[in-house]
Amino acid sequence: MVKSTAENLSPTRVKLNVEVPFEEVKPSLDKAYKDIANQVQIPGFRKGKIPARLIEQRFGREAVVDQAVNEGLNTWFSAAISEAELTPISRPEVDVTATPDSENAEGPVVFTAEFDVRPTIELPDYKGLKVTVEPAKATEEDEQKALDALRSRFGSLKDVDRPAAQDDFVTMNLTASVDGEQVDQAEGLSYQVGAGTMLEGIDEALDGLSAGEDATFESTLNGGEHDGKTAVVKLELTAVKERELPEADDEFAQLASEFDTIDELKEDLKKQAAEDAVNRQGVEARDKVLAELAKLVEVPVPDGVITEQVEQHFSAGGHAAGDDHDTPEHRAELEANTREAFANEVILDEVAEAEEVTVDQGELIEYIIATSSEYGMDPNQFAMMLDQGGQIPMIMGEVRRRKALAKVLEFAEVTDTDGKAVDLKAFVTPGGQEALDAEAEGADPAEAEEKPAKKAAAKKPAAKKAPAKKKAEEKADDAEASEQA
């Protein structure tokens, strides 16, 4: 049986001393002899039938022991952390200090492993936290934005004979060169000025440029063999288009919704704006309550884990060290956000334990369906991808923490700046939590930066007349397709 003793190096760092007796090592040694026998050829012996003593003479027993140890370490380490009831949250740093050798052929394997673990904290009193939020009021501007957003869905693009401006749609050709050598070229690219989804510097180059004109600018390439290099990019503008919005009249109301008049549609959008204001207030309350809770307890954060997550963020995003995205300021901000997220996870896990929070299958499925839509994936395919990647336990932990935070919010005393008590009952139920989760995502700052912010799904008025709904959807699809033309 594997023997282990744990030594706490810090609140988040453990050193595990492990001794594996020879009887536990022998199966790995036997396997190593067999594997080597199957890999080599020695005259006079069939492959796989080479005696152990001959393998030792030819390759040395030390090589066999090394192979056995390398293959057995994971198993022995797993047994050791299970015995010590430890859960590593970082890759262990292993140092093998003793193996069976010529002086002690049946000696044990001895090694140490250092790794980070989640800290234990003393949970403070999280009931009755007091926060103040803005009143849940929707303005006329909010209502107009909702109407304009709906009109935009049914808008069409038309060519204009003027310089490109913010929010215009353009068609262009790009050629990128590094050190005078062309490295990439693309024609007929569509882009909305100011979207920030293309090369850095392209919005400045497009500003004031008309169809038929060109401009040159420098930009850092992302991805490919020239990732991180500065390129000279030539831009040829071939078309400038602006979105033409339909008139907000009765005909539009019938096309875009279940309503017969624009006044009815505006009244519905007014209700939606009011609901959105309530959602924003709930999100503000949730975030402030969590911030107040975090002030009450000091959570030790393992530096190694934070560094690893920050590096993963930059490498996953295709950013090279030293490029314009990877700056000391950006790293410091990302590290601070990651530390805060880690501490919040630890605190909410403790709340979940105290409140005996559980996650049922329905809640898990609900979360997976909501998250899959943000990635534009089929829920079944998304669930299968999570399962194959071993991510289901992580997802369950996230749902459990959200429910724990809802509990803290349930116990909180929330008032608005007008001194009015805020009723958050709608947000401390599973359904209410969906609204909060859709409105703002704060679980993983490192990932949040790389994907569009999560927003509450707009409540599109249900079509009362099936033909009108079908026509509206077709026209909206046509408008979206024309933006890509």
Side-chain angles (χ1 to χ4, degrees), residues 11-337:
T12 62
R13 190 78 173 172
V14 169
K15 180 178 181 180
L16 198 60
N17 301 288
V18 184
E19 181 177 319
V20 187
F22 183 76
E23 55 265 28
E24 297 284 341
V25 179
K26 192 173 185 306
S28 294
L29 270 174
D30 293 341
K31 184 176 183 302
Y33 280 117
K34 185 175 180 180
D35 289 345
I36 294 173
N38 285 323
Q39 293 167 4
V40 301
Q41 288 184 334
I42 295 180
F45 294 93
R46 287 183 298 162
K47 183 177 282 191
K49 300 296 183 180
I50 305 171
R53 58 178 178 77
L54 194 56
I55 291 176
E56 291 182 6
Q57 290 174 5
R58 183 65 64 95
F59 302 102
R61 189 170 190 269
E62 183 178 349
V64 182
V65 171
D66 286 346
Q67 182 166 323
V69 170
N70 288 334
E71 291 192 0
L73 268 178
N74 282 340
T75 300
W76 303 328
F77 176 70
S78 296
I81 61 174
S82 177
E83 181 191 1
E85 297 183 346
L86 295 171
T87 303
I89 60 173
S90 67
R91 187 184 300 274
E93 297 177 5
V94 178
D95 180 24
V96 179
T97 56
T99 60
D101 53 26
S102 57
E103 295 184 3
N104 188 3
E106 297 187 357
V109 170
V110 179
F111 66 91
T112 62
E114 288 189 21
F115 49 87
D116 293 313
V117 294
R118 289 177 71 87
T120 56
I121 62 170
E122 185 175 342
L123 189 62
D125 183 6
Y126 50 86
K127 298 182 179 180
L129 296 176
K130 298 179 180 180
V131 297
T132 303
V133 297
E134 292 296 319
K137 295 178 182 177
T139 64
E140 290 185 4
E141 183 181 358
D142 294 329
E143 297 165 15
Q144 186 61 44
K145 282 183 179 179
L147 177 59
D148 289 344
L150 187 59
R151 291 171 65 203
S152 180
R153 281 199 64 202
F154 293 87
S156 58
L157 298 179
K158 67 172 184 177
D159 289 314
V160 291
D161 186 17
R162 60 165 174 76
Q166 183 78 5
D167 297 329
D168 280 343
F169 292 84
V170 298
T171 306
M172 58 190 171
N173 303 326
L174 294 179
T175 303
S177 301
V178 175
D179 297 331
E181 179 183 352
Q182 182 177 313
V183 296
D184 201 2
Q185 183 178 13
E187 296 183 354
L189 292 176
S190 296
Y191 176 67
Q192 185 175 16
V193 181
T197 55
M198 275 200 180
L199 294 171
E200 185 175 354
I202 199 168
D203 289 324
E204 291 78 6
L206 285 168
D207 188 27
L209 204 65
S210 298
E213 297 180 343
D214 58 61
T216 302
F217 63 100
E218 289 190 351
S219 187
T220 302
L221 299 180
N222 290 324
E225 60 179 305
H226 299 285
D227 181 41
K229 291 186 177 180
T230 299
V232 176
V233 182
K234 182 179 180 182
L235 182 159
E236 297 175 353
L237 189 59
T238 59
V240 179
K241 302 178 182 182
E242 68 177 5
R243 175 174 278 162
E244 191 174 55
L245 302 183
E247 288 294 326
D249 53 21
D250 292 348
E251 183 180 352
F252 170 72
Q254 294 166 19
L255 171 67
S257 72
E258 65 175 339
F259 303 107
D260 294 322
T261 68
I262 189 63
D263 289 337
E264 290 175 313
L265 175 57
K266 286 182 176 179
E267 186 62 29
D268 186 71
L269 292 174
K270 184 176 181 179
K271 293 178 183 177
Q272 290 183 36
E275 290 175 5
D276 290 342
V278 172
N279 282 344
R280 289 195 299 271
Q281 186 186 60
V283 170
E284 183 185 1
R286 180 196 67 179
D287 292 346
K288 286 188 173 181
V289 163
L290 180 56
E292 287 300 311
L293 176 59
K295 291 178 183 177
L296 300 179
V297 57
E298 186 75 24
V299 179
V301 179
D303 293 333
V305 171
I306 302 305
T307 299
E308 183 178 345
Q309 290 187 17
V310 170
E311 292 302 330
Q312 285 178 353
H313 163 79
F314 284 105
S315 60
H319 304 296
D323 68 12
D324 292 340
H325 183 77
D326 185 0
T327 63
E329 294 79 11
H330 183 45
R331 276 184 172 267
E333 179 184 9
L334 186 61
E335 181 178 325
N337 290 340

